[in-house]
Amino acid sequence: MAQYPEALSRLIRELKKLPSIGQRTAERLAFHLLNQPEEEVRLLSESLVELKAKIRPCKECFNFSEGELCAICQDPRRDRSLICVVSHPPELWKLERTNGYHGLYHVLGDLISPVNDVQPEDIHIEELMQRLQGGQVKEVILALDPKVEGEATAMYLARKIKPLGISATRIAQGVPIGRDLEFADELTLSRALQGRVSI
Ligand SMILES: [Zn+2]
């Protein structure tokens, strides 16, 4: 059986490493790219290189950022008395697209999980606690996955936050968040944000 030329095989191998891309999709994408003008393919490859060169975590909230501080942390119109805590940046962007939240965010990077050996010190909790010093923050909204790890993390954070005289709330129950946040529609999320409850 004949093999693809090496450069084509290599691209297919790389594409297959992406989430939800199998052999057939990888082949289809590779053939498609092969048929594109050189300029188009160059733009795509440059954007991939630029992605890793330019995007880094915001030093304040750990959102994706091009500078030291992300656009949200820099925006003077954001309500600095509110911090919404999420586990990963895609969830932040999903909440952002609801257009119903105008506070700040904090990305933990992961959730506490004894099973996967993720301890509180392995995620950005210390940095969150530092942000709560200074008296500007009045409420921390925990938008974490309702499954075991999200629950454990929310409880851990609530115990640390409440003694500071800052209220800890969570978005309305029953809303699929965390990894599943991608599947929650914007209206549902927006309502969940409005209907948050104290922990
Ligand atoms: Zn930021």
Side-chain angles (χ1 to χ4, degrees):
M1 196 175 77
Q3 303 290 320
Y4 289 134
E6 177 49 29
L8 185 56
S9 297
R10 184 182 169 198
L11 177 60
I12 292 169
R13 274 201 308 277
E14 293 307 317
L15 289 169
K16 271 170 66 182
K17 293 178 185 170
L18 299 171
S20 66
I21 306 280
Q23 178 71 24
R24 282 188 171 200
T25 309
E27 286 174 346
R28 200 167 64 235
L29 290 170
F31 294 147
H32 171 80
L33 289 167
L34 208 46
N35 281 323
Q36 295 301 299
E38 199 170 333
E39 172 67 7
E40 285 298 311
V41 178
R42 195 175 55 76
L43 288 173
L44 174 64
S45 72
E46 279 174 6
S47 73
L48 292 173
V49 173
E50 198 178 60
L51 181 75
K52 290 306 286 183
K54 289 198 173 165
I55 305 292
R56 53 179 158 167
C58 168
K59 73 170 180 150
E60 187 82 1
C61 74
F62 300 95
N63 179 19
F64 299 136
S65 178
E66 275 203 357
E68 284 222 311
L69 285 179
C70 74
I72 296 171
C73 286
Q74 281 189 57
D75 187 346
R77 292 164 301 182
R78 305 296 296 213
D79 180 351
R80 278 157 207 283
S81 70
L82 277 176
I83 293 183
C84 180
V85 176
V86 297
S87 58
H88 297 94
E91 294 142 35
L92 178 160
W93 290 103
K94 182 80 189 188
L95 288 163
E96 198 53 24
R97 283 196 295 271
T98 66
N99 237 332
Y101 178 71
H102 306 288
L104 301 176
Y105 292 94
H106 190 85
V107 179
L108 293 174
D110 209 339
L111 295 169
I112 297 170
S113 167
V115 178
N116 299 319
D117 198 27
V118 182
Q119 309 297 328
E121 57 273 21
D122 298 327
I123 61 180
H124 302 302
I125 289 179
E126 192 46 47
E127 292 90 341
L128 172 65
M129 300 317 292
Q130 279 168 21
R131 292 179 70 188
L132 301 183
Q133 308 297 322
Q136 204 172 20
V137 180
K138 303 282 178 254
E139 179 183 349
V140 176
I141 304 164
L142 302 166
L144 302 171
D145 196 280
K147 292 186 215 119
V148 181
E149 287 87 2
E151 202 59 28
T153 309
M155 289 306 149
Y156 179 89
L157 287 174
R159 272 201 308 274
K160 295 198 71 140
I161 292 166
K162 285 196 282 191
L164 304 173
I166 296 169
S167 60
T169 59
R170 66 190 339 165
I171 68 172
Q173 290 286 342
V175 176
I177 45 173
R179 292 280 181 204
D180 301 332
L181 194 73
E182 290 295 323
F183 304 110
D185 69 81
E186 280 148 33
L187 184 64
T188 310
L189 264 180
S190 182
R191 283 190 185 139
L193 264 170
Q194 298 308 315
R196 56 191 189 263
V197 290
S198 236
I199 320 186

